[in-house]
Amino acid sequence: MWWGVAAALLANVLYSAGFVLEKRALGALPEVTVRRPARLLRLVLGSPLWIGGSLALAAGFAAQLAVYRTLPIAAAQGLFVSGLVLLVLLSARLLGEETSGRERYALGAILLALLMVVLSLRESGADADTVGRDAPYPLILLVCVPALAAGVWLYSSAERNARHRHRLPTTGVEYGIAVGLLYGVSSLAVKGVSSHLTTGGVGASVLALLRSPYPYLLLFTGAFGLVMSQAALQRCRASLIVPVCTTVTCLFTAVLGTLSFGEELPDEPLRLALRVLGTVLAVTVLLAMPKHDTAPRSPAGPRS
């Protein structure tokens, strides 16, 4: 259990460092867009700083696999979201980004909401939270396919709105929600992959994995998530878009992942109330966050 917590904290450090390095690299590149994915990939792959950030994110992904093998999904999400504090601190220190008072209150409320989810967990006893190992494939597809479609549609809608003339700069909330849905699906796929890697020999595990939807969901979310996240990260503040994306990912994974993998909700009224109210609070804060950016532009902003 404790080495799973250590792996989650390590993943937080790697993810935060990776996002900040990518954001800094994108600030030195010409403007990228999802409408020209080949050009986007050519530009970012030519940046050593961006490659370093990507390697940090890949290492965070490896640490995430270890987390899902030892911790319940909801507990893992509660630990992952604690990395938001580190991300905001690094963004202010290394990117010169400033958050408004309203945004700081919103981020504080999100952390409170996810702390409520963590407090609803129990590690031992007869009603301890269990670690799910498998989920019916039709149920996984029923959960994931609509989420992928919604994420791509929401991102496209945000792109269309951003192209309107005289429109105030966007904070990136819409982008964060859209990419968060894709990463939520990716998180469930990572959970599925980690479960397959714990059973049987290497050959049997790989064969069973290829027969599951998980590697194909990872390929889809990896390809689309890479292009979508880089374009959004370049034009929006990392200190806002990444927390929104992380919150959506954590809520999606904690709620739908818990149900899909058969990790039962708490029986005790207090623990159940904490989990439900924490989820509702986080969603409410997301919906109430400002949609237009009035904060000063980061010095690492994109150059045309």
Side-chain angles (χ1 to χ4, degrees), residues 10-22:
L10 175 61
N12 285 344
V13 174
L14 292 169
Y15 280 136
S16 297
F19 278 122
V20 168
L21 288 175
E22 286 190 347

Side-chain angles (χ1 to χ4, degrees), residues 256-274:
L256 297 179
T258 296
L259 297 176
S260 299
F261 284 87
E263 296 180 354
E264 297 179 357
L265 292 173
D267 293 327
E268 298 176 13
L270 177 59
R271 293 174 60 215
L272 179 60
L274 284 171

